Every structure is written in C-alpha cells, then in structure tokens.
Amino acid sequence: MAEEKETSGIPEEAEKAAAEETPVSEPEAGEAAEKEAQAEEPSAPEPEKAEDEAEKKIAELTDRLQRTMAEFENFRKRSEKEKSAMFEVGARSVIEKILPTVDNFERGLGSVPEEQKEDAFVAGMDKVYKHMMKELEELGVKPIEAVGKEFDPSRHNAVMHVEDENVGENQIVEEFQKGYTYRDSVVRYSMVKVAN
C-alpha cells in the first residue's frame, strides 16, 4: 500500500511559499518602511525654485496693487468731474431762474421818467439791481454784447430782419432781450433784430 502523505489542510503552493520566505529582522523592516515613506513624499523644493516662486508671487501682487491704485485714481477723478458737472448744471438752472428778475429790474428802471430818477425808492431799486449784477458777474455770469456787433448764431437768436443801408451786412441793430453767458457757455441767447 502506498503511503499517504499527511496534509495539514494547507495547499501545497502556500506551504512552499511560506517555506521560501525568509524571516526579516525588525531593523531591516524599519529601514524598508523609511525608504517607502521617502519615496512617497515629494522631494523638498530646491532653494532656487522657492525664490523664483516667491518673486513671481511678489510681482503678481505688485501688479494687482498697481492696477487697484490706478482704478481708484480713475474713480476719484471721474467723481470729481461728475461733481463739478452737477454743480455747473445746478448753477445754470439757478441763473436761468434769476434772469427774468434781472429783466424786470431793467424794464422797471428803464420806464422811470428822468425827473423821478432821484427819488429814494428808485435809487434804492437801482442799488439792488447793481448789487445783483455785481454778484452775478463774480459768479461768472456776463451779458452778451449785441447791438452794433455782427450776428453770431452761437450767441444770438435773430427774431427779426430789417433792410437798412446805413448799417453793414449781418449787423445787429436792436436787442429785445439780453443774453447771458456763464463761464463762457451760453445760458440764454440774445433776442435781436438783424439788418440786411
């Protein structure tokens, strides 16, 4: 009878593999683990690369700061310009509302007979009118010269035309309503009569 081999229930291949493995001492196992950990860790950046990255970051942040400062400066200038423009619009609006009062002063003072011009009331009204005109002039409001000047459509509004050989062509012979400028821009055009 052939002898039967005793089997311990472990497959033969596993037994062979276990027999082939040599036991590893603990110090060797620690070295192997250390090598594996070093292989997994990314190598530390070289000093030159770190400096280059830092310089790039500094350049990027400097550029962003300069752009932000430039944007702020542009915003500040734009705000000042808008504020100035709003002031101009407001001033023009107030001046336009004051001009009819100036016209009424001029008409009223112009209709006073010569013998009553020394009257206290008339003299007082004349002083008020002159003071108002002085204040307007200090603000930059000036009357547009018309009579005797050549017609200028950017400053005058021709409402009548007359043929007159005694005056030159395109000359203003009469002014119906005074025009005014505010800081060199026309607030109200002069209403005039133009000859020839």
Side-chain angles (χ1 to χ4, degrees), residues 1-7:
M1 226 166 117
E3 270 184 35
E4 287 184 15
K5 283 188 178 177
E6 279 188 28
T7 59

XYZ file of all heavy atoms in Angstrom, residues 1-7:
56
model
N 0.825 -1.170 0.000
C 0.000 0.000 0.000
C 0.860 1.221 0.000
O 1.828 1.312 0.722
C -0.775 -0.001 1.305
C -2.177 0.297 1.055
S -3.030 -0.125 2.490
C -3.671 1.023 3.129
N 0.481 2.075 -0.876
C 1.271 3.324 -0.976
C 0.987 4.188 0.228
O -0.121 4.230 0.735
C 0.915 4.059 -2.253
N 2.065 4.805 0.640
C 1.904 5.671 1.804
C 1.197 6.942 1.415
O 1.480 7.551 0.410
C 3.293 6.045 2.343
C 3.765 5.071 3.354
C 5.068 5.529 3.911
O 5.277 6.757 4.061
O 5.867 4.681 4.197
N 0.281 7.258 2.247
C -0.438 8.501 2.002
C 0.248 9.606 2.779
O 0.607 9.446 3.921
C -1.888 8.385 2.476
C -2.713 7.527 1.571
C -4.144 7.520 2.014
O -4.556 8.365 2.824
O -4.878 6.683 1.522
N 0.409 10.712 2.087
C 1.026 11.870 2.732
C 0.010 12.544 3.614
O -1.150 12.674 3.264
C 1.502 12.888 1.680
C 2.771 12.479 1.024
C 3.212 13.645 0.186
C 4.522 13.324 -0.490
N 4.955 14.384 -1.350
N 0.535 12.926 4.728
C -0.364 13.669 5.607
C -0.437 15.107 5.148
O 0.558 15.734 4.857
C 0.182 13.637 7.037
C -0.138 12.376 7.741
C 0.256 12.491 9.183
O 0.263 13.612 9.730
O 0.556 11.461 9.755
N -1.642 15.600 5.065
C -1.838 17.007 4.686
C -2.447 17.736 5.856
O -3.305 17.211 6.555
C -2.750 17.145 3.455
O -3.981 16.559 3.764
C -2.107 16.550 2.236
